[in-house]
Amino acid sequence: MDKEYRDNPLDEPTATGLLDSLAKAVPQSVEPPSFEPHLEGDIPVLPLRNTVLFPDVIIPVSVGRKKSIAVLENLGSRKTVVFTSQKDSEKGDPKADDLYRIGTVGLILKSLKMPDGSMNIIVQGLRTVGINQFTQIEPFFSASVTPIEMRETMSQELGAYARTIKQVASQVIELSPNIPSEASYAVQNIESTPFLIHFLASNLNVNSSEKQAILELSSYADRADKLIEYLSREVKVLELSKQIQTKVKLDMDKVQREFYLRQQLKTIQNELGEFDGQVQETNKFKELLAKKNLSKETQEIVEKEIERLARIPQASPDYGVTRTYLETILALPWNEYTATKINLKEAGRILNEDHYGLEKVKQRILEYLAVLKLKSNMKAPILCFLGPPGVGKTSLGKSIARALGRKFVRISLGGVRDESEIRGHRRTYIGAMPGRIIQGLRRAGSSDAVFMLDEIDKIGHDHRGDPSSALLEVLDPAQNSTFSDHYLEIAYDLSRVMFIATANTLDSLSAPLRDRMEVININGYTDFEKLHIANQYLIPRQMEEHGIKSDFFELDNASVLKIINSYTREAGVRNLEREIAGICRSVAKDIAFQLDDDESATPIKIQVKTDDLKKYLGLEKFYPEVSEPVTMPGVAVGLAWTAVGGDILFIESTVTKGSGRLILTGQLGDVMRESAQAALSYLKSCAEYFKIPDEAFKYWDVHLHIPQGAIPKDGPSAGVTILTSLASIFTQRNVKGKIAMTGEITLRGHILPVGGIKSKILAASRAGITEILLPERNRNEILEAQETAKDMLNGMSFKFFDEMDDLLDYVLEPISEEEALARYLPPQPEPEAPIQNEEELHTNKESVAAKKGDQMIRFE
């Protein structure tokens, strides 16, 4: 130990403890010393670590710190020193504030200098003192002290304390295996009660702060109480330790006994020709292996593991690991497929029965079944259903499995960040298990199940790996026939498994993962489709879940349409089902009230009309956003695509006096900001065509804002709408009512095609828009929609444009040039002040300075 960190008792760097101290010889009788210390003036102070000096007690101390050695070297004829403990024993060079103010004056009985420069001393405590103040810090501590007088305690009370202390101390000695029984006699023979208290307190197995708490008590009764508390705690610890040792010994004896009995049983079974449990398990695995249709390579691996299991002792940890591994392998459906006869008509009926609409998805499934019927061993496709929440992506997987006659397995990948969730853990890890893919096939019991990977776009990655990269092998038809799970370490054929992924957006997926899947868009439902879904699926399901019979409840089509338009605003039908469930709960309550009066009575049928919806669902939550035409310039309506469906976007512009700046607000992303810059630049280049005065761009600032500023917005389809808004404010021409638009522009005014057309059309329909302006190159999508989803386009008209000039001429209301100039009057520049001569300029400066006084800012 570094001598800078000494000043400890000689035997240990911390308090020796009651057990070890009592093991040493204890004097038969120790009387307080007759030496009376001299306490006047300054007395040297020696800090102690990890121990406390009590009056009447003799302890050895090893002194190694410079300040402490300086105390001993400067004692001279004086043999008394104040010993006080440090508050923090880790500090090698304590300050005055680091020392307790209650200590003990000690008499140095003997000192011995060691070869390394340290000193060993024997100290006997004399009396407790309080440190008034430190009078010297360097080269060692000195302080003025005051003796602490102990409050008187009746001799009978002290005698009772002494008897109790001796009894508890004897229990400690009796429970301690390392203390000889003679130590109990030595404690019993201590006649002085104060010395008994101080001796046992000095050697307690507690930290120095608890010993200091005893020292700071000013009566022997209080010190005795605290000592008895600590001794009683020691007794409880020793009793508990003895119980633990006894239990461990019994357990070890039991294990040894069972081992001998097991060996005897094994010998007897061998003599009788019977086999133990290990042999039976090995035979069971061999029987299971014979029933499996494994490849030759896999069968050899399993046979080696079975032979290894037979050689491992049952008590070995490897036995359980190997047994679990064999159970997992032999429970998997190796080359086991569903033997079903494919009937395309029946499959089509099931798909139409479970879901309304979704013709493209149903067509793709029927195509797969047709090929599978002609070629039974074809590889399954990797489909990805892309669309907003609530459109039926997950439930569609169950319908596909039912149509195929296969088992259905679903796992959710939302929030999965560990690669081992896909590929499994190595067998060497504690608690290792296969990945979710292998576990799912084990539950399904078939190697051609329909496997749904739900929320694949919510998958994450961190320091534990990238699960999306681990999915590359799973979802690659060219690789998944030899998929390797880390737990199995054997190639497993996934080529016959039909994987279906679902996602709200593909932006978060890596390009290689997107490339391995066939994406099928499920954009959302029209009001007509939602009405059919509600009548055919949602209302019957909620009535059944709420115990309502069809004779007691009716919700007409007008009410359903009112719920769709005024209480929900979504691409799917999830919130629609919630609102229907809310009505069913209220209806169930009304029916239950009717039955309270008469259980045998037939409840009156409840018919919910549009006027009753306020009673059941409250006030309307949504209103048509574009119910009236915009009556002021600078406002245009755009169409946007989001991960939860289409939406409409109001873009507003206004101008203020300024210097031609463009101000953008509404949490716009980089793409939309660049679209705004491009739109303004194009408008400047065509100012003459649109009859915009040159001063408009020089003396006016234009502020473009997209409401709902708390929502970030970005995307490459707002350029047309932004340019329309800017052209409207600069030409003071209103945008025609109930028109929405989408598309991106170039600096030359060309209109570029965009995506998400169906979602945008559905959003426009919900908002009450009747006419949509689209890029010319999106015409084919509308033509296709007219053939496959005519109801979606009911009441809608479409215009297609290649150039912004044509679109602006169409969308902006006509206005005469005189009326435009009357609405718009560009500001004139301020007239320049005449140049003053030097004398007038100097006079003006002094005048300004006199007005400003000390606040004038001078530019040198």
Side-chain angles (χ1 to χ4, degrees):
M1 181 184 293
D2 189 343
K3 68 178 183 177
E4 287 295 314
Y5 285 84
R6 297 175 71 174
D7 296 355
N8 299 313
L10 280 171
D11 44 345
E12 285 185 351
T14 57
T16 310
L18 178 65
L19 306 184
D20 294 333
S21 297
L22 290 178
K24 302 175 183 177
V26 180
Q28 297 296 320
S29 177
V30 178
E31 295 297 332
S34 59
F35 179 80
E36 185 67 26
H38 179 69
L39 301 180
E40 296 180 359
D42 297 340
I43 302 179
V45 178
L46 197 152
L48 293 176
R49 296 196 315 121
N50 297 320
T51 192
V52 176
L53 177 62
F54 284 86
D56 310 333
V57 178
I58 299 174
I59 65 171
V61 176
S62 178
V63 180
R65 291 186 283 203
K66 294 179 180 179
K67 281 188 176 182
S68 301
I69 293 176
V71 170
L72 301 177
E73 291 178 345
N74 290 277
L75 281 177
S77 60
R78 169 178 276 182
K79 297 296 183 181
T80 55
V81 176
V82 175
F83 292 87
T84 183
S85 296
Q86 295 179 203
K87 297 177 182 177
D88 185 359
S89 61
E90 298 296 328
K91 289 190 176 181
D93 185 16
K95 307 300 180 186
D97 292 339
D98 298 327
L99 305 178
Y100 289 106
R101 294 305 178 100
I102 302 297
T104 304
V105 174
L107 177 64
I108 299 177
L109 303 178
K110 186 177 181 180
S111 62
L112 178 64
K113 193 163 187 177
M114 305 302 292
D116 61 353
S118 63
M119 299 183 69
N120 292 339
I121 60 175
I122 306 297
V123 181
Q124 182 174 15
L126 299 180
R127 67 181 306 171
T128 308
V129 296
I131 298 175
N132 299 327
Q133 64 178 359
F134 288 94
T135 58
Q136 177 179 305
I137 303 299
E138 298 293 343
F140 55 83
F141 291 109
S142 293
S144 62
V145 299
T146 301
I148 295 177
E149 299 297 335
M150 302 296 290
R151 295 198 304 270
E152 294 186 1
T153 305
M154 296 178 61
S155 59
Q156 293 180 349
E157 185 178 356
L158 281 179
Y161 275 120
R163 180 179 298 177
T164 303
I165 291 171
K166 289 179 180 180
Q167 289 176 353
V168 181
S170 297
Q171 292 179 5
V172 173
I173 295 170
E174 182 182 352
L175 292 170
S176 303
N178 299 326
I179 301 179
S181 58
E182 291 81 3
S184 178
Y185 298 113
V187 171
Q188 298 295 332
N189 289 331
I190 297 177
E191 297 178 358
S192 172
T193 302
F195 174 72
L196 176 66
I197 295 171
H198 294 156
F199 174 75
L200 293 177
S202 177
N203 293 283
L204 273 174
N205 190 18
V206 295
N207 57 51
S208 60
S209 62
E210 293 176 309
K211 292 183 180 181
Q212 181 70 25
I214 297 177
L215 182 66
E216 292 183 355
L217 298 173
S218 58
S219 74
Y220 291 121
D222 293 340
R223 292 183 179 181
D225 279 333
K226 185 64 71 173
L227 176 63
I228 292 171
E229 177 187 340
Y230 292 154
L231 288 172
S232 301
R233 187 173 68 186
E234 186 71 17
V235 169
K236 292 180 181 179
V237 172
L238 290 170
E239 287 176 345
L240 181 60
S241 177
K242 188 172 183 180
Q243 291 176 5
I244 294 173
Q245 291 177 1
T246 303
K247 183 177 183 303
V248 170
K249 185 175 183 302
L250 291 175
D251 290 344
M252 291 182 63
D253 292 343
K254 182 181 178 182
V255 170
Q256 291 177 351
R257 180 172 176 273
E258 289 178 353
F259 174 76
Y260 289 129
L261 291 175
R262 205 173 282 115
Q263 290 299 113
Q264 292 176 356
L265 179 62
K266 187 175 181 179
T267 303
I268 293 172
Q269 287 176 338
N270 289 336
E271 291 293 331
L272 295 175
E274 298 176 354
F275 301 101
D276 61 359
Q278 184 173 357
V279 176
Q280 291 177 356
E281 277 194 330
T282 304
N283 292 336
K284 181 187 70 173
F285 287 136
K286 290 180 178 178
E287 292 175 2
L288 291 174
L289 178 61
K291 298 177 182 179
K292 289 291 179 181
N293 182 23
L294 302 180
S295 63
K296 182 179 180 181
E297 179 183 357
T298 305
Q299 186 164 356
E300 290 177 356
I301 294 174
V302 177
E303 288 175 350
K304 289 181 181 179
E305 290 294 329
I306 294 175
E307 293 175 1
R308 181 171 176 268
L309 181 69
R311 297 192 300 268
I312 299 176
Q314 282 187 314
S316 173
D318 287 344
Y319 183 84
V321 173
T322 306
R323 184 183 61 185
T324 304
Y325 176 70
L326 287 170
E327 288 176 347
T328 302
I329 287 183
L330 296 176
L332 290 174
W334 298 89
N335 299 318
E336 297 177 15
Y337 305 104
T338 306
T340 56
K341 186 177 181 181
I342 298 174
N343 188 321
L344 293 181
K345 293 182 179 180
E346 178 65 15
R349 185 193 65 79
I350 291 174
L351 291 174
N352 289 324
E353 178 183 327
D354 291 347
H355 286 81
Y356 182 83
L358 306 178
E359 300 300 331
K360 187 175 181 180
V361 181
K362 296 175 182 177
Q363 184 66 26
R364 181 65 184 86
I365 299 305
L366 292 177
E367 290 172 357
Y368 168 69
L369 291 176
V371 177
L372 187 62
K373 186 172 185 177
L374 300 177
K375 189 176 186 296
S376 58
N377 61 346
M378 70 165 292
K379 294 183 177 181
I382 313 296
L383 303 179
C384 179
F385 295 154
L386 176 66
V391 296
K393 301 185 296 297
T394 303
S395 61
L396 191 59
K398 296 180 181 179
S399 300
I400 293 173
R402 193 159 78 94
L404 293 173
R406 297 184 182 181
K407 299 292 182 63
F408 177 74
V409 183
R410 173 189 169 273
I411 64 172
S412 177
L413 299 178
V416 172
R417 296 177 176 272
D418 194 345
E419 181 184 347
S420 58
E421 294 278 349
I422 308 299
R423 288 191 173 275
H425 306 81
R426 300 286 182 185
R427 270 193 294 161
T428 53
Y429 297 150
I430 297 175
M433 61 180 65
R436 292 193 180 190
I437 306 298
I438 296 299
Q439 290 183 43
L441 293 179
R442 179 180 178 179
R443 293 194 304 269
S446 172
S447 290
D448 61 349
V450 176
F451 206 115
M452 174 157 282
L453 304 172
D454 216 357
E455 305 290 352
I456 195 172
D457 57 326
K458 308 298 189 304
I459 201 167
H461 67 276
D462 56 13
H463 63 279
R464 289 167 289 187
D466 185 3
S468 62
S469 298
L471 282 173
L472 295 178
E473 184 181 2
V474 176
L475 301 180
D476 191 343
Q479 300 181 36
N480 60 10
S481 59
T482 56
F483 172 70
S484 176
D485 186 274
H486 288 162
Y487 183 81
L488 298 181
E489 295 180 344
I490 302 174
Y492 194 94
D493 186 7
L494 300 178
S495 62
R496 304 280 288 276
V497 179
M498 185 174 186
F499 288 103
I500 301 175
T502 68
N504 299 132
T505 176
L506 296 180
D507 295 341
S508 59
L509 291 181
S510 62
L513 188 59
R514 289 200 302 268
D515 183 62
R516 283 164 168 77
M517 298 184 293
E518 179 182 344
V519 178
I520 298 177
N521 286 297
I522 305 177
N523 295 296
Y525 300 108
T526 63
D527 292 351
F528 179 77
E529 290 174 330
K530 289 182 181 179
L531 177 63
H532 277 273
I533 293 171
N535 290 330
Q536 191 170 345
Y537 305 103
L538 306 184
I539 296 176
R541 182 162 63 214
Q542 291 302 320
M543 290 176 61
E544 182 180 355
E545 290 183 1
H546 291 84
I548 302 174
K549 296 181 180 179
S550 58
D551 297 338
F552 305 152
F553 172 62
E554 180 182 348
L555 185 64
D556 60 14
N557 291 343
S559 300
V560 176
L561 288 173
K562 181 71 172 178
I563 297 172
I564 293 170
N565 292 315
S566 301
Y567 291 90
T568 63
R569 182 62 53 83
E570 57 179 342
V573 293
R574 186 169 294 163
N575 287 323
L576 175 60
E577 185 169 12
R578 289 195 184 103
E579 299 297 338
I580 292 173
I583 295 176
C584 289
R585 287 193 298 270
S586 299
V587 169
K589 183 189 69 174
D590 295 340
I591 294 175
F593 274 122
Q594 295 181 39
L595 295 177
D596 284 344
D597 300 331
D598 186 0
E599 292 286 345
S600 61
T602 301
I604 301 173
K605 186 173 185 178
I606 299 175
Q607 295 179 333
V608 178
K609 304 293 184 181
T610 54
D611 296 337
D612 302 326
L613 293 180
K614 184 177 179 180
K615 168 189 172 183
Y616 293 105
L617 302 178
L619 297 175
E620 297 180 9
K621 301 176 182 177
F622 301 99
Y623 298 91
E625 286 123 329
V626 193
S627 57
E628 296 295 334
V630 179
T631 58
M632 62 179 62
V635 181
V637 181
L639 298 175
W641 177 91
T642 68
V644 295
D647 200 0
I648 68 168
L649 214 60
F650 286 90
I651 297 182
E652 303 173 350
S653 297
T654 187
V655 290
T656 57
K657 292 182 180 181
S659 57
R661 292 184 305 155
L662 173 62
I663 304 170
L664 303 174
T665 55
Q667 282 218 60
L668 307 185
D670 292 338
V671 176
M672 292 187 72
R673 287 178 173 274
E674 291 174 0
S675 295
Q677 293 285 354
L680 184 59
S681 298
Y682 172 75
L683 195 61
K684 288 179 180 179
S685 67
C686 300
E688 183 177 355
Y689 175 81
F690 292 108
K691 296 182 175 57
I692 302 174
D694 294 338
E695 293 83 357
F697 302 108
K698 186 176 181 181
Y699 299 113
W700 289 86
D701 290 340
V702 58
H703 184 169
L704 188 140
H705 177 68
I706 300 180
Q708 295 180 329
I711 303 174
K713 310 169 188 71
D714 201 8
S717 63
V720 168
T721 317
I722 291 174
L723 180 53
T724 302
S725 175
L726 293 176
S728 173
I729 193 64
F730 276 111
T731 61
Q732 290 295 295
R733 296 164 63 184
N734 293 346
V735 178
K736 293 179 181 178
K738 296 194 176 183
I739 289 182
M741 61 200 76
T742 184
E744 191 53 88
I745 63 169
T746 67
L747 279 176
R748 296 173 294 169
H750 296 314
I751 301 178
L752 302 178
V754 293
I757 296 298
K758 183 178 179 182
S759 298
K760 294 176 180 179
I761 293 174
L762 292 174
S765 176
R766 291 194 300 267
I769 291 171
T770 57
E771 187 173 1
I772 299 178
L773 309 184
L774 296 172
E776 177 64 37
R777 279 179 279 181
N778 285 117
R779 183 188 291 269
N780 290 336
E781 296 182 48
I782 301 301
L783 296 177
E784 181 183 356
Q786 288 175 342
E787 297 177 0
T788 59
K790 292 182 180 180
D791 57 306
M792 181 181 72
L793 307 181
N794 285 341
M796 288 276 185
S797 62
F798 300 90
K799 296 288 184 181
F800 303 93
F801 297 91
D802 264 333
E803 301 292 335
M804 276 305 302
D805 294 350
D806 299 332
L807 185 145
L808 292 176
D809 288 338
Y810 175 79
V811 77
L812 296 179
E813 292 183 349
I815 187 175
S816 65
E817 186 174 352
E818 292 78 9
E819 189 177 357
L821 290 175
R823 293 184 184 179
Y824 167 73
L825 181 62
Q828 299 299 321
E830 296 291 338
E832 297 182 1
I835 300 176
Q836 298 173 320
N837 58 38
E838 186 175 352
E839 183 178 354
E840 292 175 345
L841 187 61
H842 179 72
T843 303
N844 289 339
K845 285 184 179 179
E846 288 182 349
S847 176
V848 172
K851 291 179 181 178
K852 292 187 176 180
D854 295 337
Q855 297 179 0
M856 186 182 72
I857 302 173
R858 299 181 181 273
F859 296 93
E860 299 295 338

